[in-house]
Coordinates of all heavy atoms in Angstrom, one line a residue:
M264 N 80.0 111.1 86.0 CA 81.1 110.1 85.7 C 80.7 108.7 86.4 O 80.6 108.7 87.6 CB 82.4 110.7 86.1 CG 83.5 109.8 86.0 SD 85.1 110.7 86.5 CE 86.1 109.4 86.3
S265 N 80.6 107.8 85.5 CA 80.4 106.5 86.1 C 81.6 105.8 86.6 O 82.7 105.9 86.1 CB 79.7 105.7 85.1 OG 80.6 105.3 84.1
M266 N 81.6 105.0 87.7 CA 82.6 104.2 88.3 C 82.7 102.9 87.6 O 81.8 102.2 87.6 CB 82.4 104.1 89.8 CG 83.5 103.4 90.5 SD 83.4 103.3 92.3 CE 81.8 102.6 92.4
Q267 N 83.8 102.6 87.1 CA 84.1 101.3 86.5 C 84.7 100.3 87.5 O 85.4 100.8 88.4 CB 85.0 101.4 85.3 CG 84.4 102.1 84.1 CD 85.3 102.0 82.9 OE1 86.3 101.2 82.9 NE2 85.2 102.8 81.9
N268 N 84.2 99.1 87.4 CA 84.8 98.1 88.3 C 86.0 97.6 87.7 O 86.0 96.6 86.9 CB 83.9 97.0 88.5 CG 82.6 97.4 89.4 OD1 82.7 98.5 90.0 ND2 81.6 96.7 89.5
T269 N 87.2 98.1 87.9 CA 88.5 97.6 87.5 C 89.4 97.4 88.6 O 89.5 98.2 89.6 CB 89.0 98.6 86.4 OG1 89.2 99.9 87.0 CG2 88.2 98.6 85.2
L270 N 90.3 96.5 88.4 CA 91.5 96.3 89.3 C 92.7 96.9 88.6 O 92.9 96.7 87.4 CB 91.8 94.8 89.5 CG 90.6 94.1 90.3 CD1 91.0 92.6 90.3 CD2 90.5 94.7 91.7
K271 N 93.5 97.7 89.2 CA 94.6 98.3 88.7 C 95.9 97.5 89.0 O 96.1 97.1 90.1 CB 94.8 99.8 89.1 CG 95.9 100.4 88.4 CD 95.9 101.9 88.7 CE 96.8 102.7 87.8 NZ 96.7 104.2 87.9
I272 N 96.8 97.3 87.9 CA 98.0 96.6 88.2 C 99.1 97.5 88.6 O 99.3 98.5 88.0 CB 98.4 95.8 86.9 CG1 97.4 94.7 86.5 CG2 99.8 95.2 87.1 CD1 97.6 94.0 85.2
Y273 N 99.7 97.2 89.8 CA 100.8 97.9 90.3 C 102.1 97.1 90.2 O 102.0 95.9 90.2 CB 100.6 98.4 91.7 CG 99.8 99.7 91.7 CD1 98.7 100.0 91.2 CD2 100.5 100.7 92.4 CE1 98.0 101.2 91.3 CE2 99.8 102.1 92.5 CZ 98.7 102.2 91.9 OH 98.0 103.4 92.0
E274 N 103.1 97.7 90.0 CA 104.5 97.0 90.0 C 105.5 97.7 90.9 O 105.6 98.9 90.8 CB 105.0 97.0 88.6 CG 106.2 96.1 88.4 CD 106.5 96.0 86.9 OE1 105.6 95.9 86.1 OE2 107.8 95.9 86.6
K275 N 106.1 96.9 91.7 CA 107.2 97.3 92.5 C 108.4 97.5 91.8 O 108.6 96.9 90.7 CB 107.6 96.5 93.8 CG 106.4 96.5 94.7 CD 106.7 95.7 96.0 CE 105.5 95.7 97.0 NZ 106.0 95.2 98.2
K276 N 109.4 98.3 92.2 CA 110.6 98.4 91.5 C 111.4 97.1 91.2 O 112.1 96.9 90.3 CB 111.6 99.4 92.3 CG 111.2 100.7 92.2 CD 112.2 101.7 93.0 CE 111.6 103.1 92.9 NZ 112.4 104.0 93.6
S277 N 111.1 96.1 92.1 CA 111.7 94.8 91.9 C 111.1 94.0 90.8 O 111.5 93.0 90.3 CB 111.5 93.9 93.2 OG 110.1 93.7 93.4
G278 N 109.9 94.6 90.2 CA 109.3 93.8 89.2 C 108.0 93.0 89.5 O 107.4 92.5 88.8
Y279 N 107.9 92.9 91.0 CA 106.7 92.2 91.5 C 105.4 92.9 91.3 O 105.3 94.0 91.5 CB 107.0 92.0 93.0 CG 105.9 91.1 93.6 CD1 106.0 89.7 93.5 CD2 104.8 91.7 94.3 CE1 105.1 88.9 94.0 CE2 103.9 90.8 94.8 CZ 104.0 89.4 94.7 OH 103.1 88.6 95.3
R280 N 104.4 92.3 90.6 CA 103.2 92.9 90.3 C 102.0 92.3 91.1 O 102.1 91.2 91.6 CB 102.9 92.7 88.8 CG 103.7 93.4 87.9 CD 103.5 93.1 86.4 NE 103.9 91.7 86.2 CZ 103.7 90.9 85.1 NH1 102.9 91.4 84.2 NH2 104.4 89.8 84.9
F281 N 101.0 93.2 91.3 CA 99.8 92.9 92.1 C 98.7 93.7 91.7 O 98.9 94.8 91.0 CB 100.1 93.0 93.6 CG 100.7 94.3 94.0 CD1 99.9 95.4 94.3 CD2 102.0 94.6 94.0 CE1 100.3 96.6 94.7 CE2 102.5 95.8 94.4 CZ 101.7 96.8 94.7
F282 N 97.5 93.3 92.0 CA 96.3 94.2 91.8 C 95.9 95.1 92.9 O 96.0 94.6 94.2 CB 95.1 93.2 91.7 CG 95.0 92.3 90.4 CD1 95.2 91.0 90.5 CD2 94.9 92.9 89.2 CE1 95.1 90.2 89.4 CE2 94.9 92.1 88.1 CZ 94.9 90.8 88.2
F283 N 95.7 96.3 92.6 CA 95.3 97.2 93.7 C 93.8 97.5 93.5 O 93.2 97.6 92.4 CB 96.0 98.6 93.4 CG 95.5 99.7 94.3 CD1 95.8 99.8 95.7 CD2 94.8 100.8 93.8 CE1 95.4 100.7 96.5 CE2 94.3 101.8 94.6 CZ 94.6 101.8 95.9
I284 N 93.0 97.5 94.7 CA 91.7 97.7 94.7 C 91.4 99.1 95.2 O 91.7 99.4 96.2 CB 91.0 96.7 95.6 CG1 91.3 95.2 95.3 CG2 89.4 96.9 95.6 CD1 90.8 94.2 96.2
R285 N 90.8 100.0 94.3 CA 90.5 101.3 94.7 C 89.5 101.4 95.9 O 88.7 100.6 96.0 CB 90.0 102.1 93.5 CG 90.9 102.3 92.4 CD 90.5 103.3 91.3 NE 89.1 103.0 90.8 CZ 88.7 102.2 89.9 NH1 89.6 101.6 89.4 NH2 87.4 102.1 89.6
K286 N 89.7 102.4 96.7 CA 89.0 102.6 97.9 C 87.4 102.5 97.7 O 86.8 101.8 98.5 CB 89.2 103.9 98.6 CG 88.7 104.1 99.9 CD 89.1 105.4 100.5 CE 88.5 105.6 102.0 NZ 89.4 105.2 103.1
E287 N 86.9 103.0 96.7 CA 85.5 103.1 96.5 C 84.9 101.6 96.1 O 83.8 101.4 96.2 CB 85.0 104.0 95.4 CG 85.7 103.9 94.1 CD 87.0 104.6 93.9 OE1 87.6 105.1 94.9 OE2 87.3 104.7 92.7
L288 N 85.8 100.8 95.7 CA 85.5 99.3 95.3 C 85.7 98.3 96.4 O 85.3 97.2 96.3 CB 86.2 99.0 94.0 CG 85.9 99.8 92.8 CD1 86.7 99.4 91.7 CD2 84.4 99.8 92.4
Q289 N 86.4 98.8 97.5 CA 86.7 97.8 98.4 C 85.6 97.1 99.2 O 85.7 95.9 99.5 CB 87.6 98.5 99.6 CG 89.0 98.9 99.0 CD 89.8 99.7 100.0 OE1 89.4 99.9 101.1 NE2 90.9 100.1 99.5
P290 N 84.5 97.8 99.3 CA 83.3 97.1 100.0 C 82.9 95.8 99.3 O 82.3 94.9 99.8 CB 82.2 98.1 100.1 CG 82.9 99.5 100.2 CD 84.2 99.2 99.3
M291 N 83.1 95.8 97.9 CA 82.7 94.5 97.2 C 83.6 93.3 97.7 O 83.1 92.3 97.6 CB 83.1 94.7 95.8 CG 82.2 95.8 95.0 SD 82.7 96.0 93.3 CE 82.1 94.6 92.6
F292 N 84.7 93.6 98.3 CA 85.6 92.5 98.8 C 85.4 92.2 100.2 O 86.0 91.2 100.8 CB 87.0 92.8 98.5 CG 87.3 92.9 96.9 CD1 87.1 93.9 96.3 CD2 87.7 91.6 96.2 CE1 87.3 94.0 94.8 CE2 87.9 91.7 94.9 CZ 87.7 92.8 94.1
D293 N 84.8 92.9 101.0 CA 84.7 92.8 102.4 C 84.0 91.4 102.7 O 83.0 91.1 102.0 CB 83.8 93.9 103.1 CG 84.5 95.2 103.2 OD1 85.7 95.1 103.1 OD2 83.8 96.3 103.4
N294 N 84.5 90.7 103.6 CA 84.0 89.3 104.1 C 84.1 88.3 103.0 O 83.3 87.4 103.0 CB 82.6 89.5 104.7 CG 82.5 90.5 105.8 OD1 83.4 90.5 106.7 ND2 81.6 91.3 105.8
L295 N 84.9 88.6 101.9 CA 84.9 87.6 100.8 C 85.7 86.3 101.3 O 85.3 85.2 100.9 CB 85.6 88.2 99.5 CG 85.7 87.3 98.5 CD1 84.3 86.8 97.9 CD2 86.4 88.0 97.3
G296 N 86.8 86.4 102.0 CA 87.5 85.2 102.5 C 88.3 84.9 101.3 O 88.6 85.6 100.3
A297 N 88.9 83.6 101.4 CA 89.6 83.0 100.3 C 88.8 82.8 99.0 O 87.6 82.5 99.2 CB 90.2 81.7 100.7
F298 N 89.3 83.2 97.9 CA 88.5 83.1 96.7 C 89.3 82.6 95.5 O 90.6 82.5 95.6 CB 87.9 84.5 96.3 CG 89.1 85.5 96.0 CD1 89.4 85.7 94.6 CD2 89.4 86.3 97.0 CE1 90.5 86.7 94.4 CE2 90.5 87.2 96.8 CZ 90.9 87.4 95.5
T299 N 88.6 82.3 94.4 CA 89.3 81.8 93.2 C 89.2 83.0 92.1 O 88.1 83.6 92.0 CB 88.5 80.7 92.6 OG1 88.5 79.5 93.5 CG2 89.1 80.1 91.3
L300 N 90.2 83.3 91.5 CA 90.3 84.3 90.5 C 90.0 83.6 89.2 O 90.8 82.7 88.7 CB 91.6 85.0 90.4 CG 91.8 86.1 89.4 CD1 91.0 87.3 89.7 CD2 93.3 86.4 89.4
R301 N 88.9 83.8 88.5 CA 88.6 83.1 87.3 C 88.8 84.2 86.1 O 88.2 85.3 86.1 CB 87.1 82.7 87.2 CG 86.9 81.7 88.4 CD 85.6 80.9 88.1 NE 85.4 79.9 89.2 CZ 85.9 78.7 89.2 NH1 86.7 78.3 88.3 NH2 85.7 77.9 90.2
C302 N 89.4 83.8 85.1 CA 89.8 84.7 84.0 C 88.9 84.3 82.8 O 88.5 83.2 82.5 CB 91.3 84.6 83.6 SG 92.4 84.8 85.0
S303 N 88.6 85.3 82.0 CA 87.7 85.1 80.7 C 88.5 84.2 79.8 O 87.9 83.7 78.8 CB 87.5 86.5 80.1 OG 88.7 87.2 79.7
D304 N 89.8 84.0 79.9 CA 90.5 83.1 78.9 C 90.4 81.7 79.4 O 91.1 80.8 78.8 CB 92.0 83.5 78.7 CG 92.8 83.4 80.1 OD1 92.4 83.0 81.1 OD2 94.0 83.7 80.0
G305 N 89.8 81.3 80.5 CA 89.6 80.1 81.0 C 90.5 79.7 82.1 O 90.3 78.5 82.7
T306 N 91.5 80.3 82.4 CA 92.4 80.1 83.5 C 91.7 80.4 84.8 O 90.9 81.3 84.9 CB 93.7 80.7 83.3 OG1 93.5 82.2 83.3 CG2 94.6 80.2 82.2
H307 N 92.2 79.8 85.9 CA 91.8 80.1 87.3 C 92.8 79.9 88.2 O 93.7 79.1 88.0 CB 90.5 79.4 87.6 CG 90.6 78.0 87.8 ND1 90.7 77.1 86.7 CD2 90.9 77.2 88.8 CE1 90.9 75.9 87.0 NE2 90.9 75.9 88.5
Y308 N 92.8 80.7 89.3 CA 93.8 80.7 90.4 C 93.1 80.6 91.7 O 92.2 81.5 92.0 CB 94.7 81.8 90.3 CG 95.4 81.9 88.9 CD1 94.6 82.6 87.9 CD2 96.4 81.2 88.7 CE1 95.1 82.7 86.6 CE2 97.0 81.3 87.3 CZ 96.4 82.0 86.3 OH 96.8 82.0 85.1
S309 N 93.3 79.5 92.6 CA 92.6 79.4 93.8 C 93.3 79.8 95.0 O 94.5 80.1 94.9 CB 92.4 77.8 93.9 OG 91.6 77.3 92.9
N310 N 92.5 79.9 96.1 CA 93.0 80.2 97.5 C 93.7 81.6 97.5 O 94.8 81.7 98.1 CB 94.0 79.2 98.0 CG 93.2 77.8 98.1 OD1 92.1 77.8 98.6 ND2 93.8 76.7 97.7
L311 N 93.2 82.6 96.9 CA 93.8 83.9 96.9 C 92.9 84.7 98.0 O 91.8 84.3 98.4 CB 93.6 84.7 95.6 CG 94.3 84.0 94.4 CD1 93.9 84.8 93.1 CD2 95.7 84.1 94.6
N312 N 93.6 85.8 98.5 CA 92.9 86.5 99.6 C 93.2 88.0 99.3 O 94.1 88.3 98.5 CB 93.6 86.2 100.9 CG 93.1 84.9 101.5 OD1 92.0 84.7 101.9 ND2 94.0 83.9 101.5
V313 N 92.4 88.9 99.8 CA 92.6 90.3 99.6 C 93.4 90.7 100.9 O 93.2 90.1 102.0 CB 91.2 91.0 99.8 CG1 91.5 92.5 100.0 CG2 90.4 90.8 98.6
T314 N 94.6 91.3 100.7 CA 95.5 91.8 101.8 C 95.2 93.3 102.0 O 95.1 94.1 101.1 CB 96.9 91.6 101.3 OG1 97.2 90.3 100.9 CG2 97.9 92.1 102.3
K315 N 95.0 93.5 103.2 CA 94.8 95.0 103.8 C 96.1 95.4 104.4 O 96.7 94.7 105.2 CB 93.7 95.0 104.8 CG 92.4 94.5 104.2 CD 91.3 94.4 105.2 CE 90.1 93.6 104.8 NZ 89.1 93.5 105.8
S316 N 96.6 96.5 103.9 CA 97.9 97.0 104.5 C 97.8 98.5 104.7 O 97.0 99.3 104.2 CB 99.1 96.7 103.6 OG 98.9 97.4 102.4
G317 N 98.6 99.0 105.7 CA 98.8 100.4 105.9 C 97.7 100.9 106.9 O 96.6 100.3 107.1
K318 N 97.9 102.2 107.5 CA 96.9 102.7 108.4 C 95.6 103.0 107.7 O 94.6 103.1 108.3 CB 97.6 104.0 108.9 CG 98.8 103.6 109.8 CD 99.3 104.9 110.4 CE 100.5 104.6 111.3 NZ 101.1 105.8 111.8
V319 N 95.7 103.4 106.3 CA 94.5 103.6 105.7 C 93.8 102.5 105.1 O 92.8 102.6 104.2 CB 94.8 104.7 104.5 CG1 95.1 106.1 105.2 CG2 95.9 104.3 103.6
Q320 N 94.3 101.3 105.5 CA 93.6 100.1 104.9 C 93.5 100.0 103.4 O 92.4 100.0 102.9 CB 92.3 99.8 105.7 CG 92.4 99.5 107.0 CD 93.0 98.1 107.3 OE1 92.3 97.1 107.0 NE2 94.1 98.2 107.9
R321 N 94.6 100.0 102.7 CA 94.5 99.8 101.3 C 94.4 98.3 101.0 O 95.0 97.4 101.7 CB 95.8 100.3 100.6 CG 95.8 101.9 100.8 CD 97.0 102.4 100.0 NE 97.0 103.8 100.1 CZ 97.8 104.7 99.7 NH1 98.8 104.3 98.9 NH2 97.6 106.0 99.9
Y322 N 93.7 98.0 100.0 CA 93.4 96.5 99.7 C 94.2 96.1 98.3 O 94.2 96.9 97.4 CB 91.9 96.3 99.3 CG 91.0 96.3 100.5 CD1 91.1 97.1 101.6 CD2 89.8 95.5 100.5 CE1 90.3 97.2 102.7 CE2 89.0 95.5 101.6 CZ 89.2 96.3 102.7 OH 88.3 96.4 103.7
F323 N 94.8 95.0 98.4 CA 95.6 94.4 97.4 C 95.2 93.0 97.1 O 94.9 92.3 98.1 CB 97.1 94.6 97.6 CG 97.6 95.9 97.9 CD1 97.7 96.5 99.2 CD2 97.9 96.8 96.8 CE1 98.0 97.7 99.4 CE2 98.3 98.0 97.1 CZ 98.4 98.6 98.4
I324 N 95.5 92.4 95.9 CA 95.4 91.0 95.6 C 96.8 90.6 95.1 O 97.2 91.2 94.1 CB 94.4 90.7 94.6 CG1 92.9 91.1 95.1 CG2 94.4 89.1 94.4 CD1 91.9 90.9 94.1
F325 N 97.5 89.8 95.8 CA 98.8 89.2 95.4 C 98.5 87.8 94.7 O 98.0 87.0 95.2 CB 99.7 89.1 96.6 CG 100.0 90.4 97.2 CD1 99.3 90.7 98.4 CD2 100.9 91.3 96.7 CE1 99.7 92.0 99.0 CE2 101.1 92.5 97.3 CZ 100.6 92.9 98.5
A326 N 98.8 87.8 93.3 CA 98.5 86.6 92.6 C 99.8 86.3 91.6 O 99.7 86.5 90.5 CB 97.3 86.8 91.7
S327 N 100.9 86.0 92.2 CA 102.1 85.8 91.5 C 101.9 84.8 90.3 O 102.4 85.1 89.2 CB 103.2 85.3 92.4 OG 103.5 86.1 93.5
E328 N 101.3 83.7 90.6 CA 101.1 82.7 89.5 C 100.4 83.3 88.2 O 100.7 83.1 87.2 CB 100.3 81.5 90.0 CG 100.3 80.4 89.0 CD 99.5 79.1 89.5 OE1 99.2 79.1 90.8 OE2 99.3 78.2 88.7
F329 N 99.4 84.1 88.6 CA 98.6 84.7 87.5 C 99.5 85.7 86.7 O 99.5 85.5 85.4 CB 97.5 85.6 88.2 CG 96.8 86.5 87.1 CD1 95.8 86.0 86.3 CD2 97.2 87.8 87.0 CE1 95.2 86.9 85.4 CE2 96.6 88.7 86.1 CZ 95.6 88.1 85.3
F330 N 100.2 86.5 87.3 CA 101.1 87.4 86.6 C 102.2 86.6 85.8 O 102.6 87.1 84.7 CB 101.7 88.4 87.4 CG 100.7 89.4 87.8 CD1 100.2 89.6 89.1 CD2 100.1 90.3 87.0 CE1 99.2 90.4 89.6 CE2 99.1 91.2 87.3 CZ 98.8 91.4 88.5
N331 N 102.7 85.5 86.4 CA 103.7 84.7 85.7 C 103.1 84.2 84.4 O 103.8 84.0 83.4 CB 104.3 83.6 86.6 CG 105.1 84.1 87.6 OD1 105.7 85.2 87.6 ND2 105.3 83.3 88.7
K332 N 101.9 83.8 84.4 CA 101.2 83.2 83.2 C 100.5 84.1 82.3 O 100.1 83.8 81.2 CB 100.2 82.2 83.7 CG 100.9 80.9 84.3 CD 99.9 79.8 84.6 CE 100.7 78.7 85.3 NZ 99.7 77.5 85.6
H333 N 100.6 85.4 82.7 CA 100.0 86.5 81.8 C 100.9 87.7 81.8 O 100.7 88.8 82.2 CB 98.6 86.9 82.4 CG 97.6 85.8 82.4 ND1 97.5 85.0 83.5 CD2 96.7 85.5 81.6 CE1 96.5 84.1 83.2 NE2 96.0 84.4 82.0
P334 N 102.1 87.5 81.2 CA 103.1 88.4 81.1 C 102.8 89.7 80.3 O 103.3 90.9 80.4 CB 104.3 87.7 80.5 CG 103.8 86.7 79.7 CD 102.6 86.3 80.4
R335 N 101.8 89.5 79.4 CA 101.4 90.8 78.6 C 100.8 91.9 79.4 O 100.7 93.1 78.9 CB 100.5 90.3 77.3 CG 99.1 90.0 77.7 CD 98.3 89.6 76.6 NE 96.9 89.4 76.9 CZ 96.4 88.2 77.3 NH1 97.1 87.2 77.6 NH2 95.1 88.2 77.6
L336 N 100.2 91.6 80.5 CA 99.6 92.6 81.4 C 100.7 93.3 82.0 O 101.7 92.8 82.6 CB 98.7 91.9 82.5 CG 97.5 91.1 81.9 CD1 96.8 90.5 83.0 CD2 96.6 92.0 81.1
Q337 N 100.6 94.6 82.0 CA 101.7 95.6 82.4 C 101.2 96.5 83.5 O 100.1 96.7 83.7 CB 102.3 96.4 81.3 CG 102.7 95.5 80.2 CD 104.0 94.7 80.6 OE1 104.9 95.2 81.3 NE2 104.1 93.4 80.2
K338 N 102.2 97.1 84.2 CA 101.9 98.2 85.2 C 100.9 99.2 84.7 O 101.0 99.6 83.5 CB 103.2 98.9 85.5 CG 103.2 100.0 86.5 CD 104.7 100.5 86.7 CE 104.7 101.6 87.5 NZ 106.0 102.2 87.7
H339 N 100.0 99.5 85.4 CA 98.9 100.5 85.3 C 97.8 100.1 84.3 O 96.8 100.7 84.2 CB 99.5 101.8 84.7 CG 100.5 102.5 85.6 ND1 100.2 102.9 86.9 CD2 101.8 102.8 85.3 CE1 101.2 103.3 87.5 NE2 102.2 103.4 86.6
D340 N 97.9 98.8 83.8 CA 96.7 98.3 83.1 C 95.6 98.2 84.1 O 95.8 98.0 85.3 CB 97.0 96.8 82.5 CG 97.9 96.9 81.4 OD1 98.1 98.0 80.8 OD2 98.3 95.8 80.9
E341 N 94.3 98.4 83.6 CA 93.2 98.2 84.5 C 92.3 97.1 83.9 O 92.0 97.1 82.7 CB 92.4 99.5 84.6 CG 93.2 100.6 85.2 CD 92.4 101.5 86.0 OE1 91.3 101.3 86.5 OE2 92.9 102.7 86.2
I342 N 91.9 96.1 84.7 CA 91.3 94.9 84.4 C 89.8 94.9 84.9 O 89.7 95.0 86.0 CB 92.0 93.7 84.9 CG1 93.6 93.7 84.7 CG2 91.4 92.4 84.4 CD1 93.9 93.7 83.2
P343 N 88.8 94.9 84.0 CA 87.4 94.8 84.5 C 87.3 93.5 85.3 O 87.8 92.4 85.1 CB 86.7 94.7 83.2 CG 87.5 95.2 82.1 CD 88.9 94.8 82.5
F344 N 86.4 93.6 86.4 CA 86.1 92.5 87.2 C 84.7 92.5 87.8 O 84.0 93.6 87.8 CB 87.2 92.4 88.3 CG 86.9 93.4 89.5 CD1 86.1 93.1 90.6 CD2 87.2 94.8 89.4 CE1 85.8 93.9 91.6 CE2 86.9 95.7 90.3 CZ 86.2 95.3 91.5
S345 N 84.3 91.4 88.4 CA 83.1 91.2 89.1 C 83.3 90.3 90.3 O 84.2 89.4 90.1 CB 81.9 90.7 88.3 OG 82.1 89.5 87.8
V346 N 82.6 90.5 91.4 CA 82.8 89.7 92.6 C 81.5 88.8 92.8 O 80.4 89.3 92.8 CB 83.0 90.5 93.8 CG1 83.1 89.7 95.0 CG2 84.3 91.2 93.6
D347 N 81.6 87.6 92.9 CA 80.5 86.7 93.3 C 80.8 86.1 94.6 O 81.5 85.1 94.7 CB 80.3 85.6 92.2 CG 79.1 84.8 92.3 OD1 78.6 84.7 93.5 OD2 78.7 84.1 91.4
K348 N 80.3 86.7 95.6 CA 80.5 86.2 97.0 C 79.9 84.9 97.3 O 80.6 84.0 98.0 CB 80.1 87.3 98.0 CG 81.0 88.4 98.1 CD 80.5 89.4 99.2 CE 81.3 90.7 99.1 NZ 81.0 91.6 100.3
A349 N 78.8 84.6 96.7 CA 78.2 83.3 96.9 C 79.1 82.2 96.4 O 79.0 81.1 97.0 CB 76.8 83.3 96.2
K350 N 79.7 82.3 95.3 CA 80.6 81.3 94.8 C 81.9 81.4 95.2 O 82.9 80.6 94.9 CB 80.5 81.3 93.3 CG 79.1 80.9 92.7 CD 79.1 80.9 91.2 CE 77.7 80.4 90.7 NZ 77.6 80.3 89.2
G351 N 82.3 82.4 95.9 CA 83.7 82.7 96.4 C 84.6 82.9 95.2 O 85.7 82.4 95.2
C352 N 84.2 83.8 94.2 CA 85.1 84.0 93.1 C 85.1 85.4 92.7 O 84.1 86.2 92.8 CB 84.8 83.0 91.9 SG 83.4 83.4 91.1
V353 N 86.2 85.8 92.1 CA 86.4 87.1 91.4 C 86.6 86.8 89.9 O 87.4 86.0 89.6 CB 87.5 88.0 92.0 CG1 87.8 89.2 91.2 CG2 87.2 88.3 93.4
R354 N 85.8 87.4 89.1 CA 85.9 87.1 87.6 C 86.5 88.4 87.0 O 86.1 89.5 87.3 CB 84.6 86.9 87.0 CG 84.0 85.7 87.5 CD 82.6 85.4 86.7 NE 81.8 84.5 87.4 CZ 82.0 83.2 87.5 NH1 83.0 82.7 86.7 NH2 81.2 82.4 88.1
I355 N 87.6 88.1 86.2 CA 88.2 89.3 85.5 C 88.2 89.0 84.0 O 88.0 88.0 83.5 CB 89.7 89.5 85.9 CG1 90.6 88.3 85.6 CG2 89.8 89.9 87.4 CD1 92.0 88.6 85.9
T356 N 88.2 90.1 83.2 CA 88.2 90.0 81.8 C 89.5 90.4 81.2 O 90.1 91.5 81.5 CB 87.1 91.0 81.2 OG1 85.9 90.6 81.8 CG2 87.0 90.8 79.7
I357 N 90.2 89.4 80.6 CA 91.5 89.8 80.0 C 91.5 89.2 78.6 O 90.8 88.5 78.0 CB 92.7 89.1 80.7 CG1 92.5 87.6 80.9 CG2 92.9 89.8 82.0 CD1 93.8 86.9 81.4

C-alpha cells in the first residue's frame, strides 16, 4: 500500500476547520518555520505555521482565511500536497 501525501480536513463542532498532518508525514514539516500555502487555483496564504499539540505531538495547520475562501472543502476531505522547504511553501491541489 503506497502512502499518499494528503492533508486531511478536520472540523470542530463549532464549525472551525483545519488541516491535520498524519504522523507518518510529519517529518516533511519539521524545521519548516513560517510558510506560504500555495493552491493550484492560484490563491496563496502567507505566514502560516505548523502547530504541534498534545502529548503525542499531533501536527495541524490552522488556515482560517483559506477555509473562508474555499467553502466547498468539507470535513474529512483529503487534499494532495507537497512541501518545498527551500522556498518555504506548501503546495496543495484543489
Side-chain angles (χ1 to χ4, degrees):
M264 180 175 170
S265 65
M266 180 174 58
Q267 290 189 15
N268 291 349
T269 60
L270 299 171
K271 188 169 186 174
I272 298 173
Y273 270 61
E274 185 174 326
K275 292 185 177 188
K276 289 181 181 178
S277 64
Y279 185 81
R280 291 176 284 169
F281 53 91
F282 290 112
F283 172 71
I284 304 167
R285 291 191 313 275
K286 185 173 180 106
E287 59 270 15
L288 299 176
Q289 291 175 4
M291 296 176 73
F292 293 87
D293 286 342
N294 305 313
L295 181 59
F298 63 89
T299 299
L300 181 66
R301 297 195 182 279
C302 307
S303 59
D304 68 357
T306 58
H307 65 279
Y308 306 89
S309 301
N310 297 317
L311 297 176
N312 288 286
V313 172
T314 301
K315 301 174 188 176
S316 68
K318 292 179 183 177
V319 291
Q320 290 291 294
R321 295 186 177 181
Y322 286 34
F323 301 92
I324 299 172
F325 298 101
S327 298
E328 185 181 352
F329 168 82
F330 286 111
N331 289 339
K332 291 186 179 179
H333 297 87
R335 73 180 186 276
L336 298 174
Q337 299 297 315
K338 178 179 175 180
H339 301 303
D340 283 352
E341 296 213 23
I342 310 300
F344 78 95
S345 64
V346 176
D347 185 339
K348 288 185 181 181
K350 292 184 179 179
C352 73
V353 174
R354 298 182 192 284
I355 63 173
T356 304
I357 57 170

